[in-house]
Amino acid sequence: MRKGLFITLEGPEGGGKTTQARWLAEDLQAKGADVVLTREPGGTAVGNGVRSILLDSSPGSISPEAETLLYLAGRAQHAAEVLRPSLHAGRIVVCDRYTDSTLAYQGHARGLGVEPLIAMNDFATGGLRPGLTLLLDIPAEVGLERQREHNRMEAEGLDFHRKVREGFLLLAERWPERVKVVDASQPPGIVRSRLWDIVWGWIR
Ligand code: TMP
């Protein structure tokens, strides 16, 4: 099996990314892979601190620019402390959200612009981009209905979350080789096997 692979899971709220990321890590481990399962915001002590500022603050209390820089600060630390060393050691990294979330949420939905944020992602990560991205696509109304965790981002209105989804789909059009769209409104077991087919095809 190829080593040092970087796989991200992305998508709007309520697409089941966290469960699918865990299942994917398990499916890879069952094939003998050395897997690191991690997430953003989070993944390090700094990242977890940033996560609680970002998600536990009251709606409207963080400017779009400050929000972006906080996500990027968490990412910079995550890339330096976890992602690069793990990939360097030949491990497979499965990451629940990464750079595309910043492009869809802050770049597209908040309107800060995708192009400048591509450059800022590269600054934060030293140009570390995923090899494969699984986009768990779901309509905003369905995803929000399913979501159980209530945080500052989730509290944004339906129009915002529609723009987030649109932002993700534009990224898939832009980078079709890397970003694979999967219909996440299907039953979780079906989504799991669809993701596995994509990942296994890519790895081999
Ligand atoms: P989640 O980990 O439960 O999906 O929550 C993370 C929230 O943060 C989710 O609403 C998406 C949002 N987010 C951004 O807005 N920009 C980012 O760069 C990342 C990583 C997440």
Side-chain angles (χ1 to χ4, degrees), residues 10-11 13 17-18 39-41 51 54-55 67 71-72 75 96-103 105-106 147 149 151 153-154 160-161:
E10 295 277 10
E13 315 289 323
K17 276 180 302 79
T18 306
R39 70 167 177 179
E40 288 198 8
R51 183 179 182 93
L54 280 164
L55 300 183
E67 175 182 282
Y71 280 113
L72 290 169
R75 177 161 309 135
D96 178 358
R97 294 199 185 280
Y98 188 59
T99 44
D100 294 313
S101 281
T102 308
L103 303 181
Y105 282 80
Q106 283 70 47
Q147 184 73 308
E149 221 180 90
N151 60 44
M153 296 302 288
E154 194 262 344
F160 176 81
H161 289 287

Side-chain angles (χ1 to χ4, degrees), residues 11-12 100 103-105 107-109 113-115 118 133 135 137 162-181:
D100 294 313
L103 303 181
Y105 282 80
H108 190 75
V114 169
E115 303 310 318
I118 291 175
T133 297
L135 174 49
D137 179 47
R162 287 200 173 122
K163 286 199 92 172
V164 168
R165 182 193 188 196
E166 182 182 79
F168 276 122
L169 292 174
L170 288 169
L171 298 177
E173 274 176 33
R174 178 175 185 146
W175 292 302
E177 284 302 306
R178 169 176 69 86
V179 183
K180 304 297 176 195
V181 183

Side-chain angles (χ1 to χ4, degrees), residues 14-31:
K17 276 180 302 79
T18 306
T19 304
Q20 295 294 342
R22 182 164 45 78
W23 284 346
L24 175 59
E26 286 170 12
D27 291 344
L28 285 164
Q29 276 156 351
K31 292 279 182 191

